[in-house]
Amino acid sequence: MTTAAPRSALSTHEVFNQPGAPTRDPWADDPVLQGVLGADPELAALGAALGSDALREAARDAQTRLPELRTFDRAGRRIDEVHFHPGYHQLMALGLEAGYAATAWDGTGSHLKHAAINYMFSQIEPGVCCPMTMTYAAVPALSADPALAALWQPRLTARAYDPSRRPVAEKSAVTMGMAMTEKQGGSDVRANSTRAIRDGEGWRLYGHKWFCSAPMCDGFLTLAQTEAGITCFLVPRWLPDGTRNPFTILRLKDKLGNKANASSEIEYDGTFAHGLGEPGRGVPVIIEMVHHTRLDTAMAPAGLMRAALAEAMHWVRGRTTFQRKLIDQPLMRAVLADLALEAEAALLLALNVARAFDDPGARPYARLSVALAKFLSNKRAPGMIYECMEAMGGMGYVEDTPLPMLYREAPLNSIWEGSGNVICLDILRTLVKEPEAAAQMHARLDAARGADARFDAALDRHRARWPGLPPEAEARWFAESLGTLLAASVMLADSPVAGEYIATRLGAERGSIAGAMGAIDAEAVLARA
């Protein structure tokens, strides 16, 4: 870790007009986030830790010194373990001790606060979010079995990190993963072929899972076929007698991004499992976990965009070209203002959804809005992050900056927990099966009427185009339109630059690329970036 200033006077030239790495606190330097959450000493302390040189170095190590699969010990016995760099464990400990998995459940915080923690972590090292998100999301699913809940839930919400290989009863803190998809089905989990056979009070599983992220978790929620149909199970990694449950890790995925997090292909071969919920009702049981992981897949792109925007803003404020600071050049300001609007809308929309998770009466709205936010923000993120990269020129394209990591990460949350088409079809199903979700959504949109005529007109156009459900082939268009209207309504409630968002997303004609728009109040937008 560099502590002394580097040398700028080199033998052949002097290094100048090259902004150094930004020093950034993801809490203290984010007025939009603070405006929603208010004063919070715990979040302030977490932001300071994540912004420190030590944690950024740990994140860099976790991203570049990749997880290593160790299938056998020296004597040839199977161990099926993944070895991580200490930086990974340092970040996991920081997140879990800060309440990433606990604050929504232990009475000390909320889903809103959980979402803020996810948002800040996503800016520094998003890979570790996967196991912490699954641990958070498993808590409500376990309520399907009181005995399992009594054993696992207190340890999932323990505000501690214990990566030791021991049975759950011997640990004060545990993590939980999820293994659903198989080669032949993917998102169509009802096509799963993994079988479950009764074994006393438990079950034995036989089959495979094509994607199992964070395979060193203490337990996994998984799906398998019984005589009653697809059923949910809890698979412990370590059995009560201290032996290893058969859990064969075939290989680690060589992924585009999310490098710090190990994702694997696994096989069950007589693997012990506890049934969770009624046989044949596996999808409704595990959907509780999926519903909560979706909150984080809606929140994470806002964090990625915020991190990219901060890097770009730092660069343009410190870089001079053609006798002017980049930030003072009108075209650059237009591009950055457009990008800043995207980042702010994604953040406020996701926080609005998180608030709904805290309100039992708003559960139908949460079910629909989390899908809309996940779809819209994740579709926006790759292009937005690329434009931040381009604003930095060649510097943004090299691994010395976080931009390549952020760009590789950008597609993940759109694919995880339902890719774009799956989410759009789920939105249509929700509107059919849960009329209250549609009613709550439309009530919120109607409540925003009167603040901006352009919003009112856009809402009228949407409803005229789709007075009912759209044809399936138009589901993406429908979801983008409804999601943008929802984001605009949230901006109207929470942001002084809502007018600029509406003008560039719902108002006058504009181009399809960043900065291709008419004049807006870029000064007001960039003051919040």
Side-chain angles (χ1 to χ4, degrees):
M1 187 185 306
T2 300
T3 55
R7 292 190 300 119
S8 296
L10 307 183
S11 59
T12 61
H13 64 285
E14 181 180 357
V15 180
F16 66 98
N17 198 27
Q18 283 278 94
T23 301
R24 190 173 64 85
D25 179 327
W27 169 261
D29 297 335
D30 195 327
V32 180
L33 179 64
Q34 292 184 59
V36 174
L37 274 293
D40 190 310
E42 289 185 340
L43 292 179
L46 177 61
L50 287 170
S52 68
D53 289 342
L55 259 295
R56 289 180 181 272
E57 191 78 6
R60 178 73 170 166
D61 286 339
Q63 293 157 7
T64 56
R65 302 182 185 182
L66 303 185
E68 174 191 347
L69 175 60
R70 297 178 178 178
T71 51
F72 297 94
D73 70 4
R74 59 182 289 172
R77 302 178 183 90
R78 285 209 74 104
I79 56 173
D80 293 293
E81 295 180 359
V82 180
H83 176 76
F84 296 91
H85 186 274
Y88 171 91
H89 294 296
Q90 186 177 354
L91 288 155
M92 286 287 293
L94 176 66
L96 292 172
E97 290 167 8
Y100 191 116
T103 191
W105 312 114
D106 65 4
T108 66
S110 60
H111 292 285
L112 179 65
K113 186 168 182 175
H114 160 80
I117 296 172
N118 170 273
Y119 171 72
M120 291 195 288
F121 260 89
S122 296
Q123 297 177 48
I124 309 301
E125 206 311 283
V128 298
C129 292
C130 177
M132 293 193 291
T133 287
M134 293 190 293
T135 299
Y136 148 80
V139 173
L142 287 170
S143 297
D145 186 300
L148 290 174
L151 177 63
W152 285 85
Q153 284 179 337
R155 293 167 172 84
L156 292 172
T157 59
R159 285 185 178 251
Y161 176 56
D162 180 359
S164 64
R165 298 144 177 78
R166 292 184 293 155
V168 57
E170 297 180 13
K171 301 180 70 169
S172 60
V174 297
T175 54
M176 182 73 74
M178 178 168 50
M180 291 200 298
T181 58
E182 298 181 6
K183 294 174 183 175
Q184 72 281 354
S187 296
D188 183 8
V189 295
R190 295 186 187 277
N192 284 6
S193 62
T194 295
R195 297 173 295 114
I197 299 174
R198 271 285 186 187
D199 182 13
E201 295 185 1
W203 298 77
R204 296 286 172 176
L205 306 187
Y206 298 86
H208 81 282
K209 295 299 170 184
W210 184 229
F211 262 92
C212 174
S213 285
M216 291 306 292
C217 285
D218 296 282
F220 296 85
L221 297 193
T222 195
L223 297 174
Q225 298 284 359
T226 66
E227 291 183 358
I230 199 80
T231 301
C232 189
F233 296 91
L234 193 163
V235 175
R237 274 292 253 135
W238 329 106
L239 298 175
D241 62 2
T243 59
R244 295 169 188 263
N245 203 5
F247 190 95
T248 303
I249 303 177
L250 301 175
R251 62 173 176 169
L252 300 185
K253 298 285 193 181
D254 187 6
K255 299 173 294 184
L256 170 67
N258 203 245
K259 295 289 191 178
N261 174 45
S263 298
S264 64
E265 299 168 25
I266 64 169
E267 283 184 342
Y268 299 136
D269 188 8
T271 305
F272 179 79
H274 302 281
L276 184 62
E278 295 180 35
R281 297 281 298 164
V283 172
V285 171
I286 209 166
I287 205 68
E288 272 300 308
M289 186 173 185
V290 172
H291 178 58
H292 288 83
T293 56
R294 279 187 178 175
L295 174 60
D296 288 11
T297 62
M299 187 80 256
L304 300 178
M305 286 191 272
R306 173 64 186 173
L309 179 65
E311 290 285 336
M313 291 298 296
H314 174 76
W315 180 260
V316 300
R317 285 169 173 151
R319 179 81 164 175
T320 298
T321 59
F322 307 112
Q323 292 78 53
R324 285 190 295 178
K325 292 282 190 183
L326 279 172
I327 190 62
D328 295 328
Q329 302 195 26
L331 185 54
M332 180 61 79
R333 291 177 67 79
V335 171
L336 291 168
D338 209 7
L339 301 178
L341 286 170
E342 202 68 69
E344 180 167 339
L347 171 59
L348 290 176
L349 177 58
L351 293 176
N352 173 271
V353 173
R355 279 198 191 108
F357 274 65
D358 286 315
D359 179 1
R363 183 175 173 86
Y365 170 76
R367 172 90 166 86
L368 180 57
S369 63
V370 74
L372 288 166
K374 171 176 160 39
F375 178 73
L376 182 67
S377 296
N378 282 298
K379 291 303 179 188
R380 301 288 196 213
M384 183 275 182
I385 293 169
Y386 156 73
E387 290 286 358
C388 291
M389 181 185 291
E390 185 177 282
M392 297 174 66
M395 180 62 79
Y397 195 67
V398 298
E399 298 285 351
D400 294 323
T401 76
L403 269 299
M405 180 276 290
L406 296 168
Y407 188 63
R408 289 192 298 268
E409 192 76 17
L412 172 66
N413 291 287
S414 186
I415 296 169
W416 191 32
E417 302 302 10
S419 56
N421 286 357
V422 171
I423 289 294
C424 289
L425 296 177
D426 188 53
I427 289 168
L428 299 190
R429 280 192 296 271
T430 299
L431 291 170
V432 170
K433 293 183 177 181
E434 297 187 45
E436 182 60 21
Q440 292 186 4
M441 174 67 65
H442 287 299
R444 292 189 181 228
L445 294 174
D446 286 332
R449 280 188 178 278
D452 191 299
R454 296 164 299 186
F455 172 84
D456 298 349
L459 181 56
D460 289 339
R461 288 195 302 271
H462 174 89
R463 289 173 171 170
R465 181 68 184 80
W466 295 291
L469 285 181
E472 184 176 308
E474 293 183 12
R476 280 189 170 221
W477 185 9
F478 174 85
E480 180 185 14
S481 175
L482 185 58
T484 306
L485 285 164
L486 181 59
S489 72
V490 172
M491 290 283 281
L492 282 168
D494 295 332
S495 174
V497 295
E500 279 64 36
Y501 183 82
I502 292 169
T504 54
R505 272 70 178 168
L506 299 175
E509 289 186 351
R510 62 158 295 161
S512 59
I513 59 176
M517 60 188 186
I520 62 170
D521 188 352
E523 187 68 33
V525 175
L526 294 177
R528 297 168 60 80

